[in-house]
Each structure stands twice: as structure tokens, then as C-alpha cells.
Amino acid sequence: MKNFVEELKWRGMLAQIMPGTEELLQKQMVTAYLGTDPTADSLHIGHLCGIMMLRHLQQCGHKPIILVGGATGMIGDPSGKSQERNLLDAETLYHNQECIKKQVAKFLDFDAEGPNAAEMVNNYDWMKDFTFLDFARTVGKHITVNYMMAKESVQQRLNGTARDGLSFTEFTYQLLQGYDFLHLYQAKNCQLQLGGNDQWGNMTTGTELIRRTLGSETEAYALTCPLITKADGKKFGKTESGNIWLDRNRTTPYAFYQFWLNVSDDDAEKYIKIFTSLDKETIDALVEEHRKDPGYRILQKRLAEEVTVMCHSQEDLETAKEASNILFGKSTKDSLLKLDEQTLLDVFAGVPHYEVAKTDIIGKAAIELLTADAPVFPSKGEMRKLTQGGGVSINKEKLADPNAVITEADLLDGKYLLAQQGKKKYFLIIAK
């Protein structure tokens, strides 16, 4: 078996590890779990480091379990949060769980033959009938308040600027997460918990609970990955428009591909190790090639390709590349017609937009529309001159006659018209 810890180390994916963890992983096949709260119906790329840890774990011959926190999602984890999160109802949490399972199945093999097939569990299944009295007697008596208060995540909330402090509900979160580990240890012989470094306090509570409940000779361990940041120190995965989601309905494959394509050189060198399964030899060769000619952006291109195929598909990658060419390369009207509405808007998000009543578009001469209603050109004379030189296009087709009439058939998705001035100046006209 490949050494899982060594794999994480060279990829820059190891933050903290409990003594004895590596020895256990080298000795036998280990079952490990990672938890995620189903607070949305999609994971975003901030979750990807943890999911990739599970992927590498399975590729190293161990068994991964992804725990969807249907119960803990109803509580809210204070770790790394400045205020209490909104609580979700059971129906919403179940829907979110099903969506997350489909996404994780692209990274983990749930149908693998042999004992290390991936598995998904929901802690709501073992928590829903657990009464408060049972919980206090079974779990609460083993962990002291002093121990819980000493955790950094608790201290930050108690001593921080949060207006509402720390609720009892959130205070109990580390016990709930600790019980998850105890349950999985007993039910599935799960000996290792994986997570982000902000989870270290909750994870060590789990190992402590197992030892105090089952005896000091039990082997339970924790291992964390670092919280990923950008080279400028800002939070990874956040853009001006919000999170980069794995769900194509929240973030189109084109926008997803563009995110990775546009990361800095330093970040690309770091991210290609964390977010792909490429081996060290391949990555080292790519880094060396990239450094010879950074302008070609070979690292960004390979990173964007690998992650887009993994999260979406090869077909989505090709569509994203084709969409990119609409702005930055040669393309045709056929390429434009292949775009769905959201991808079209993503591609042309940075170009000037004009909203015009549909009745003022249909049946109007192009020269009237593009100088009066949507002033792409400052004057009719300038538009005529540019048209004669072949410098005006509508929907990627050269405009031969400035007096050509715009028809319903010209509107993309029934509401968009793309005007082009020269090779690189685009204008999107939106029919209201």
C-alpha cells in the first residue's frame, strides 16, 4: 500500500496528526471518516481538500466514510464561526444529503470490490432516537466542562466579538461530533477521523471520548489538512460573486473552469498538488515546464482541466473550453448557440450590457438599434464605415448591411443579441 501520510505531506495536505496514526496506517487497512454538514444542497470548492483526502485515502488502500451530519447540521458548529448558524429542518437536510452524495460519488468509489469501498452515513440515523437523558448519561459523564472550555473554538467565541456569545446548543457540538466517532468506532471499526484544521478540537474530543468510554488501550486517531488560502492570504474559493459550487446550477462548468484557469502562478503550483490525483513525477515535470515559460500558464490549464473533468465531465470541459474561445479565440455562431443561458451570461459578464424593450429590437434596422437604443457606436457614420470594413458582427456573424433588420430568430435564447465591434469589443443586448 502507498503511504497515505507521505502522500499528504508532499501534496501540502497535512496540518496536524496524532502520534501513532502513521504506524496504524502502515500496519493495516484503516477505516477513516470525514464529516460534512449538509447546510446547502451542494458542496463548494472549500470542501474539496477534505474530499480529496478521502480520495487519496481510498487510493492508498484504506476505506473512506463520508459522514453527512443530518443531526449536527441541526445544531451548528462554532468552530471558525463568529455567530450561530441558522438551523435547518429535516426535509431540507435530507434533500441536501442526497445532492451531496451524488457529488461525492465522482470522487470516491462506492462500488469498489473488496473491503475498502467508500460508504456514506448520516448521523441523524443514530441520533434521532437518542434522548437527552441517554446522551447525558452515555456521553456527558465522560467529558468534563473544563476539558470542553479549554478548546480553542470555544474560547474564541467566548472571548471574541460575537454579540450573542456561545449558545448551549453550540457548546454541545463537540460532544455530538465526539459521539459520531465513538459510534463509528464501535459500529464500523472506524479508527481515524479526517478534517480541516479548524476541526482539531472537536476531533480530539472524539478520540478522548473513545478512550474514556472503551478504555485507554483503544486506538483512535485524528488527522487534519490545512485551511487552504490564496497566495495573498485571502480565503480560498470565495469570489466577488460568492462561493464556487460543485453544482452546475449554482456555478456553471464554464465559470468553474475559469476560476481554476485564472489562479496565480503560486496558487496553481500549490493547488495542482491538492486538488488533482496527478502523481508527484507528473506534477514536478509540469512545474518545471511552467517555470520556463509562465506566460503559457501550463499549470493553470492542466489544473483547470483535471478538476473540471473530476467534478463535472470531459464533455463539460470541452464545452467550457469552447465557451472560452468565444471571447478569446476564433468561434462561430454555432458555438454561441450551444451555450445555455447561464453560461452565456457568465461568458459575457464583463462586457457592457444594454437592456432594451423587445418591441424596440424586433423589426428594427441594426444601425438604429446599435446607435440609438443600445449605443454600441457613437454615430451611424462610424458604424457604416466599420461595417464596410467587415468590423461589425451580430451573434458572431459579419454584418454585411447596416440596415439589415433584426428578427425574432436573431435573439439567442429568445432574449439576447451579441454585437461585436472589431475583434475583441463585445456588447450584450438584453431584450426586456
Side-chain angles (χ1 to χ4, degrees), residues 363-376:
K364 182 164 282 188
I367 196 165
E368 295 291 339
L369 176 67
L370 299 181
T371 57
D373 302 281
V376 171

Side-chain angles (χ1 to χ4, degrees), residues 1-4 21-28 62:
M1 291 194 299
K2 272 200 304 183
N3 185 317
F4 175 58
T21 306
E22 187 169 8
E23 290 77 4
L24 179 74
L25 286 158
Q26 286 298 96
K27 186 170 65 177
Q28 64 194 58
H62 303 289

Side-chain angles (χ1 to χ4, degrees), residues 43 60 83 99 101 106 124 126 155 183 207 248 281 291 300 354 364 421 428:
L43 300 175
C60 289
Q83 50 188 282
C99 294
K101 185 173 184 179
K106 294 181 179 181
Y124 185 72
W126 58 83
Q155 286 297 316
H183 174 85
T207 60
R248 63 190 307 120
E281 188 179 350
R291 287 176 178 175
Q300 285 92 336
Y354 295 105
K364 182 164 282 188
Q421 188 185 122
L428 190 64

